[in-house]
């Protein structure tokens, strides 16, 4: 005869049976009587004929009091009633530890004595105690008075009964002046007054470093003058070039503003230039010089003007086809005349054909404009043709010779 399930009072058959607490349960009935979590024989505890998970059992039926968490994990003084905190079955040490949390912290300690927290004035008990500067503080009270950062005994400083982190202490009470950053890291001349920069308690060396930043005029201890801006140059910002001392930010090209150093600058007059700009502005001009920079150029700086000054004979010969003169007869240095264009032919552009000298660009078929060489040309009456055009215009005519049905009478 089947046994009955303690939860639903129905018969329990083998296929749905689970054994626990010396009884047989339906698998779906064997769950916590409080949270309905499904259980097994290892995770259940019994109470008055019902089954509970261990957490709910501890919460409902375990010992109460601070440190027991109602039988569950953590710390709790919950009795199961809202807003009610028990003091039953609580030891003296537990009562002492929880005392600041009772009645909003106004209740005086009943068990032993305790020191007052310097920040809040309330009693400090062992569980929440933190020692710093020879005093006992609540953990949450040991924080910077300025930035509220939590501190410990190694990171705090005191001033007039208050505690500060090291950064805030230095900023508020540390030495002021350039290089001190109000006592904190970095560089700062902040006095706490908006727009004011202090010069008090500042060493001569610090004044020298700060001089270019102070109204642009104050000078402490002398120094070389920057050729670019005319202000004093001090060691921290000094760079040597062209036998002079510049500010690092002033040593730049006078034309393109590129930053320079002692190996990349050239000077002209009272200014410095990068090598490209120097060559372009002050280098030799003419074909092949590119205004002193890389490349080929005949730029004089004036639009559409091409110079012939300071240009070698070889450069003039190479540039001749680019000059706007027409039909010149060997104006500069002599040379053969191209039969096609009538201009002088120089060595760099010379090509021979038909017993004459041509420019390479002129040596092409008179009829179709095809480029020629010495193996593909034919000529007639001082003109050159490709073989196809020569045969077309000057070859034999008639049927079979490439001219359709022509009669020679």
């Amino acid at each position: 005869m089947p046994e009955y399930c303690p939860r639903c009072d129905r018969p329990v058959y083998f296929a749905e049976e689970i054994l626990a607490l010396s009884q047989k349960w339906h698998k779906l009935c064997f769950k916590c009587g409080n949270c309905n979590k499904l259980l097994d024989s290892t995770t259940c505890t019994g109470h008055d004929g019902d089954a509970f998970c261990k957490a709910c059992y501890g919460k409902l039926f375990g010992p109460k009091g601070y440190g027991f968490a109602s039988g569950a994990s953590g710390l709790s003084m919950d009795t199961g009633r809202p807003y009610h905190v028990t003091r039953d079955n609580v030891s003296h040490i537990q009562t002492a530890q929880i005392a600041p949390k009772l009645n909003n912290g106004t209740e005086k300690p009943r068990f032993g004595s305790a020191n007052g927290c310097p920040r809040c004035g309330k009693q400090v008990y062992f569980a929440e105690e933190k020692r710093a500067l020879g005093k006992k503080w609540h953990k949450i009270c040991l924080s910077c008075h300025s930035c509220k950062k939590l501190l410990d005994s190694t990171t705090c400083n005191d001033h007039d009964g208050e505690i500060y982190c090291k950064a805030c202490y230095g900023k508020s009470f540390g030495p002021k002046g350039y290089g001190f950053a109000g006592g904190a890291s970095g560089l700062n001349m902040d006095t706490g007054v908006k727009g004011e920069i202090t010069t008090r308690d500042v060493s001569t060396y610090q004044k020298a470093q700060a001089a270019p930043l102070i109204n642009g005029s104050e000078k402490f201890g002398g120094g070389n003058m920057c050729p670019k801006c005319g202000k004093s140059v001090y060691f921290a910002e000094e760079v040597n070039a062209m036998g002079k001392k510049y500010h690092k930010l002033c040593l730049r090209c006078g034309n393109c503003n590129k930053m320079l150093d002692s190996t990349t600058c050239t000077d002209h007059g009272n200014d410095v230039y990068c090598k490209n700009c120097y060559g372009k502005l002050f280098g030799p001009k003419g074909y092949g010089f590119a205004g002193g920079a890389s490349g080929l150029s005949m730029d004089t700086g004036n639009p559409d003007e091409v110079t012939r000054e300071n240009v070698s004979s070889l450069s003039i010969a190479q540039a001749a086809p680019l000059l706007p003169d027409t039909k010149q007869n060997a104006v500069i240095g002599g040379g053969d005349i191209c039969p096609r264009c009538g201009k002088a032919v120089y060595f760099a552009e010379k090509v021979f054909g038909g017993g004459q000298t041509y420019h390479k660009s002129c040596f092409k078929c008179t009829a179709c404009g095809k480029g020629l060489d010495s193996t593909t040309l034919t000529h007639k009456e001082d003109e050159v043709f490709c073989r196809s055009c020569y045969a077309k215009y000057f070859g034999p005519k008639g049927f079979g010779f490439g001219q359709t049905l022509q009669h020679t009478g």
Side-chain angles (χ1 to χ4, degrees), residues 272-316:
V272 290
Y273 300 87
C274 64
K275 292 184 178 181
N276 283 341
C277 290
Y278 180 88
K280 184 176 181 180
L281 297 173
F282 312 110
K285 302 293 189 298
Y287 181 82
F289 289 102
S294 60
L296 297 176
S297 175
M298 296 184 72
D299 184 17
T300 63
N302 299 323
D304 303 321
E305 180 181 348
V306 179
T307 183
R308 297 184 189 177
E309 299 177 358
N310 302 321
V311 183
S312 67
S313 299
L314 177 61
S315 299
I316 292 175

Side-chain angles (χ1 to χ4, degrees), residues 146-194:
S146 180
C147 67
K148 309 303 179 186
K149 176 183 176 182
L150 290 177
L151 306 175
D152 58 36
S153 59
T154 64
T155 59
C156 64
N157 292 279
D158 63 336
H159 184 84
D160 291 338
E162 285 294 350
I163 54 173
Y164 300 85
C165 63
K166 292 185 177 180
C168 291
Y169 180 87
K171 185 176 181 181
S172 300
F173 311 109
K176 300 293 189 300
Y178 181 83
F180 289 103
S185 59
L187 296 178
N188 186 17
M189 297 185 72
D190 184 17
T191 63
V193 180
K194 186 176 181 180

Side-chain angles (χ1 to χ4, degrees), residues 8 43 157 170 193 221 361:
C8 67
T43 59
N157 292 279
V193 180
S361 60

